[in-house]
Amino acid sequence: MELPFAESYKIKMVESIRKSTREERLKWMSDAKYNLFNLKSDFVFIDLLTDSGTGAMSDKQWAAMMEGDESYAGARSYYKLKEAIFDVTGFPYFLPTHQGRAAENVLFSSLVKADDVLPGNSHFDTTKGHIEFRKAHAIDCTIEAAADTTLELPFKGNMDLNKLENVLKKYPAERIPCIVLTITNNTAGGQPVSMENIKGVSALAKKYGVKLLIDSARFAENAYFIKTREKGYENKSIREITREIFSHADFMTMSSKKDAIVNMGGFIGFRNEQDWQKCQMYNIMFEGFITYGGMSGRDMNALAVGLFEGTEFDYLETRISQVAYLGKKLDEYGIPYQRPSGGHAIFLDAKKILTHVPKEQLIAQTLGIELYLEAGIRGVEIGTLLADRDPETRENRYPELELLRLAIPRRVYTNNHMDYIAAAVRNVYERREKITKGYAITKELPIMRHFTIELEPVK
Ligand code: F0G
């Protein structure tokens, strides 16, 4: 008999989680003003809010932490991390930062000015926030097919090269500090970008004299999809693929909390020395000295090990197979989600599930609340709340897709948890016709409102 698939690790340490009653959850949700971010984690049974910083570090990462060098300048840990970054990405220069958005803050402080234009494929919310905070504009050039959740495409996170070229033609190069290519494309469903597309974007960048930034939070998962789906890459190692990806870019920003499997950390990679030098001042102002930038020595050590572990094929196969396993269960129950299943998450198609909730009443958020009340599972809205208001008109921006993201932390839950999640989603799906009312906003911040927003049920 063919041997079944099994995880490429075993478990050495566990953390207890507790189930709650529906009555308890109703009270907690109301106390949290119907914002899942406001819930205490102890009130959550399975936490799929994010795969960011929620992974389980390995014995080797914990061991590396004991050897951290906490020197203020020139720490051994910095050089260990520098070597790992060079090995995995090929970038010769880097600045450590405390997380991904800090990398964006430092890089954009040096690059972006008012009225600039930054085309990209579904900029992540912090990226868009950092652009709009500087009174510049993020222009989305994602392929149209990404908005049709039923289409099975291998590289649904791709940039539309025609849309991109139109932007590059329309604005002078001085107003385009860089193109932002996000791999995998988180907002479109954890969907990968093909090497062919990366090359196409890079060729256009060169043609118009514009730089290319790769937002790399999930670069290793993207490389796994290239290896398993793109012709010509089947026999390349993950690290050969990651180095090829980055060879096309001028910069990378990294949230190490994802594919480098650490709980905190980030960095910026630079191709050329001048760009690196220009950012040093901002790194010192916002993050810390250029050889630690917001990270302790032990954290840089764990990150260096995590970069290698996160780019091992067996680990990536285990990880992405688990997400696919959940997808298959949902298929059995006929539940609509962004197809095919993504690298880090399943994105439920809330518009297709809660067909009776009007968009003004926050469809995906309503689904998120229902799933929590059903089973203590916490997902995150990728819809109207995340899209923020139009910075000029201050009107709500209703995105084409209303998704509830179920992000799977790395090396944390088992497939029994996946079965539990699928059953809970099915229960909500079966009573979907009865869910006709959503939520109204009572309090919000002007930018990145979804983290702290307060809501009330529509009567
Ligand atoms: N870029 C992408 C594509 C991201 O997904 C994130 C974070 C960031 C940048 C910012 O990194 O959190 O370290 O500051 N995404 C998390 C998520 C928060 O849940 O998807 P950060």
Side-chain angles (χ1 to χ4, degrees):
M1 150 179 206
E2 197 182 329
L3 294 174
F5 180 77
E7 286 77 6
S8 65
Y9 48 80
K10 57 183 179 173
I11 297 165
K12 196 177 318 216
M13 191 190 282
V14 295
E15 178 182 345
S16 296
I17 49 177
R18 187 178 89 81
K19 281 191 186 164
S20 51
T21 64
R22 193 178 174 90
E23 286 62 43
E24 283 176 320
R25 293 194 291 273
L26 275 165
K27 168 154 195 323
W28 294 335
M29 197 69 268
S30 154
D31 291 348
K33 311 278 193 235
Y34 302 95
N35 180 346
L36 294 152
F37 283 100
N38 283 340
L39 284 173
K40 287 188 181 169
S41 63
D42 284 343
F43 297 165
V44 176
F45 181 54
I46 299 183
D47 207 345
L48 309 181
L49 186 67
T50 180
D51 62 319
S52 180
T54 53
M57 289 212 300
S58 69
D59 50 353
K60 293 199 174 63
Q61 286 178 290
W62 282 108
M65 288 192 85
M66 297 302 290
E67 296 186 340
D69 174 3
E70 305 302 342
S71 304
Y72 190 95
R76 256 186 333 274
S77 302
Y78 166 83
Y79 288 102
K80 192 174 152 110
L81 177 57
K82 184 177 163 71
E83 258 175 52
I85 291 173
F86 183 67
D87 204 348
V88 170
T89 72
F91 279 113
Y93 303 95
F94 92 104
L95 288 172
T97 64
H98 78 274
Q99 62 182 89
R101 69 202 67 186
E104 291 162 2
N105 187 32
V106 169
L107 182 64
F108 291 174
S109 291
S110 142
L111 284 186
V112 180
K113 56 186 189 314
D115 271 339
D116 278 354
V117 168
L118 290 86
N121 56 336
S122 324
H123 310 70
F124 183 65
D125 62 336
T126 60
T127 320
K128 186 153 65 78
H130 274 296
I131 292 170
E132 292 178 351
F133 179 72
R134 291 173 172 80
K135 308 247 176 305
H137 308 277
I139 301 185
D140 186 20
C141 301
T142 310
I143 55 167
E144 294 293 327
D148 181 345
T149 57
T150 62
L151 283 179
E152 291 270 353
L153 293 178
F155 293 103
K156 221 172 167 179
N158 277 355
M159 186 99 76
D160 181 323
L161 298 180
N162 287 327
K163 283 192 200 169
L164 175 63
E165 184 152 24
N166 287 340
V167 176
L168 297 174
K169 269 188 200 149
K170 186 166 165 194
Y171 300 94
E174 308 81 72
R175 278 185 65 192
I176 310 179
C178 63
I179 299 167
V180 186
L181 185 65
T182 303
I183 62 169
T184 58
N185 184 329
N186 180 5
T187 316
Q191 298 294 327
V193 174
S194 68
M195 189 70 86
E196 189 189 356
N197 195 248
I198 295 169
K199 285 184 191 160
V201 170
S202 160
L204 284 175
K206 290 202 175 79
K207 178 170 167 193
Y208 289 88
V210 168
K211 290 194 165 162
L212 175 58
L213 161 65
I214 298 189
D215 176 349
S216 316
R218 300 178 183 84
F219 74 97
E221 289 168 6
N222 201 99
Y224 173 88
F225 285 120
I226 289 176
K227 180 174 169 70
T228 53
R229 293 183 183 171
E230 194 162 350
K231 227 177 142 251
Y233 289 90
E234 18 333 49
N235 297 322
K236 297 219 159 145
S237 73
I238 295 292
R239 265 167 237 146
E240 281 169 335
I241 297 172
T242 57
R243 283 191 290 263
E244 181 174 338
I245 290 173
F246 291 114
S247 72
H248 297 290
D250 298 284
F251 316 102
M252 73 182 282
T253 45
M254 179 66 184
S255 169
S256 309
K257 302 166 73 173
K258 283 87 169 173
D259 274 1
I261 334 178
V262 289
N263 303 116
M264 191 53 72
F267 61 88
I268 314 167
F270 301 87
R271 176 84 35 224
N272 88 48
E273 194 175 357
Q274 273 171 341
D275 289 328
W276 172 64
Q277 278 169 350
K278 271 204 278 186
C279 283
Q280 290 182 356
M281 177 180 79
Y282 299 105
N283 212 59
I284 293 168
M285 274 177 11
F286 301 142
E287 294 295 299
F289 184 61
I290 56 169
T291 62
Y292 76 84
M295 297 185 73
S296 48
R298 54 184 169 273
D299 288 339
M300 289 193 279
N301 268 15
L303 170 52
V305 176
L307 279 170
F308 289 121
E309 288 184 4
T311 48
E312 275 166 17
F313 180 79
D314 287 353
Y315 152 74
L316 284 165
E317 186 180 42
T318 299
R319 152 120 187 109
I320 290 169
S321 299
Q322 184 171 54
V323 179
Y325 175 87
L326 176 58
K328 261 195 223 122
K329 279 270 148 196
L330 296 176
D331 289 344
E332 280 172 34
Y333 305 151
I335 291 155
Y337 61 89
Q338 170 69 301
R339 309 191 65 86
S341 56
H344 67 298
I346 292 285
F347 289 62
L348 298 175
D349 188 339
K351 266 192 193 166
K352 292 216 170 83
I353 298 173
L354 298 186
T355 49
H356 300 322
V357 177
K359 69 173 195 287
E360 294 76 13
Q361 294 179 22
L362 312 170
I363 304 167
Q365 180 67 11
T366 303
L367 183 61
I369 293 166
E370 287 298 329
L371 185 61
Y372 174 71
L373 295 177
E374 179 67 34
I377 297 167
R378 170 159 74 168
V380 75
E381 190 247 28
I382 308 274
T384 304
L385 293 184
L386 181 72
D388 268 329
R389 289 176 189 273
D390 184 290
E392 268 122 52
T393 67
R394 302 307 302 158
E395 291 297 318
N396 271 317
R397 289 191 274 215
Y398 294 105
E400 223 166 313
L401 290 179
E402 284 278 344
L403 303 166
L404 180 69
R405 187 184 74 173
L406 307 177
I408 314 296
R410 294 167 182 79
R411 308 192 285 210
V412 170
Y413 293 113
T414 67
N415 283 3
N416 285 328
H417 292 113
M418 299 303 120
D419 289 342
Y420 179 96
I421 297 161
V425 175
R426 178 183 177 161
N427 289 350
V428 174
Y429 189 63
E430 283 178 350
R431 59 181 171 77
R432 66 191 181 280
E433 302 284 326
K434 298 202 191 97
I435 305 168
T436 56
K437 292 209 170 104
Y439 293 83
I441 298 171
T442 54
K443 209 170 148 193
E444 67 182 286
L445 291 178
I447 265 186
M448 290 185 243
R449 63 181 178 176
H450 73 137
F451 290 117
T452 54
I453 204 154
E454 295 185 2
L455 308 171
E456 65 183 10
V458 172
K459 296 268 162 13

